[in-house]
Amino acid sequence: MNDTRKITRRQVLKTTFGAAALAAGGPLMAGMPGVTPAQTEGPFYPTRDQADTDIDLTQIEGHSERALGEVIEVNGTVLDEEGKAVGGALVDVWQANAHGRYDHEADPNPAPLDPNFQGWARFTTDAESRYRFTTIRPGAYAVSGEWTRPPHIHFKVARRGYHELTTQMYFAGHELNEVDRLILELPEAERSRLMVEFGSASSEATPPRGRFDIVLRRV
């Protein structure tokens, strides 16, 4: 694999150690019962505005073609530790495209960008704490030649009165989950809470769906 494609280990570990320190001594407390485990933000959080940030990442306004890759739908709820709905929570999601490439100026991966893939979205949960978005299954990508990150989607969730949470959602059953260093940093009991099962598409108009519920800690 070409070394120019790989993200430096220092980049990933820098953000990883920062998140680990926050989880250990700050308000996120990833190990608390009920609270969704925290994960690193990573080096590719969106840095520029996009004209289209709606909940369908597979279609950009004004483009006639959809993004490459398997279309999926992610849905879920945002709750507090008592299971109460957190309506109006701001949710950011961002991810690599089907080739494992982020639309980010710092990504050295030479894999192609997809001009029809939105790449990230921002939305709020409804009054019953629900959210959903349509996207594609992201590709894996190499990290400094030392390991390959499994497909994942980044989430950042914020709401007044709650501690902001940054985490990652993974695809249950993917072989790279078993050797991913960021997943393995979590206690074994916590890992399954970031894994999401996706069923089969019932029709061309109904893509595979997966549910990812998120629990925030109150201030």
Side-chain angles (χ1 to χ4, degrees):
M1 197 172 285
N2 191 323
D3 285 342
T4 61
R5 172 177 177 171
K6 301 159 187 170
I7 302 156
T8 66
R9 184 167 180 264
R10 179 176 296 178
Q11 283 178 304
V12 173
L13 294 183
K14 180 180 179 181
T15 51
T16 302
F17 292 150
L22 184 59
L28 288 179
M29 299 293 287
M32 284 187 63
V35 177
T36 298
Q39 288 257 282
T40 175
E41 180 178 289
F44 303 131
Y45 183 78
T47 57
R48 58 180 182 270
D49 290 335
Q50 291 178 228
D52 190 351
T53 58
D54 64 12
I55 63 171
D56 186 354
L57 281 71
T58 72
Q59 183 78 54
I60 295 178
E61 185 176 2
H63 291 217
S64 60
E65 297 182 25
R66 299 190 80 169
L68 298 172
E70 180 190 3
V71 177
I72 59 173
E73 181 182 295
V74 182
N75 63 69
T77 57
V78 178
L79 307 171
D80 68 11
E81 295 162 280
E82 297 177 351
K84 295 179 180 178
V86 181
L90 179 63
V91 183
D92 280 272
V93 295
W94 67 102
Q95 64 172 87
N97 64 22
H99 304 294
R101 171 80 182 269
Y102 288 86
D103 186 7
H104 191 285
E105 59 273 14
D107 189 354
N109 188 344
L113 288 170
D114 183 346
N116 299 308
F117 182 52
Q118 189 170 299
W120 71 286
R122 178 175 292 164
F123 45 85
T124 57
T125 57
D126 66 16
E128 297 179 4
S129 79
R130 299 171 301 189
Y131 76 86
R132 68 177 179 85
F133 63 96
T134 302
T135 186
I136 55 92
R137 189 183 293 265
Y141 58 87
V143 179
S144 191
E146 299 184 21
W147 91 96
T148 299
R149 293 235 60 210
H152 58 279
I153 300 176
H154 297 263
F155 282 72
K156 181 180 286 190
V157 187
R159 178 72 166 90
R160 185 183 295 274
Y162 300 86
H163 293 290
E164 183 177 276
L165 174 74
T166 300
T167 192
Q168 298 179 36
M169 185 207 86
Y170 299 91
F171 294 78
H174 197 284
E175 61 183 6
L176 290 173
N177 294 340
E178 301 300 320
V179 294
D180 183 67
R181 297 184 183 184
L182 301 188
I183 294 175
L184 295 178
E185 284 185 348
L186 294 170
E188 189 170 354
E190 298 282 326
R191 298 171 196 168
S192 63
R193 296 170 60 194
L194 301 182
M195 302 293 163
V196 174
E197 296 274 2
F198 283 82
S200 301
S202 58
S203 70
E204 188 173 331
T206 306
R209 291 174 175 169
R211 178 165 180 150
F212 184 47
D213 291 325
I214 296 168
V215 179
L216 300 181
R217 182 187 175 207
R218 281 187 174 273
V219 171

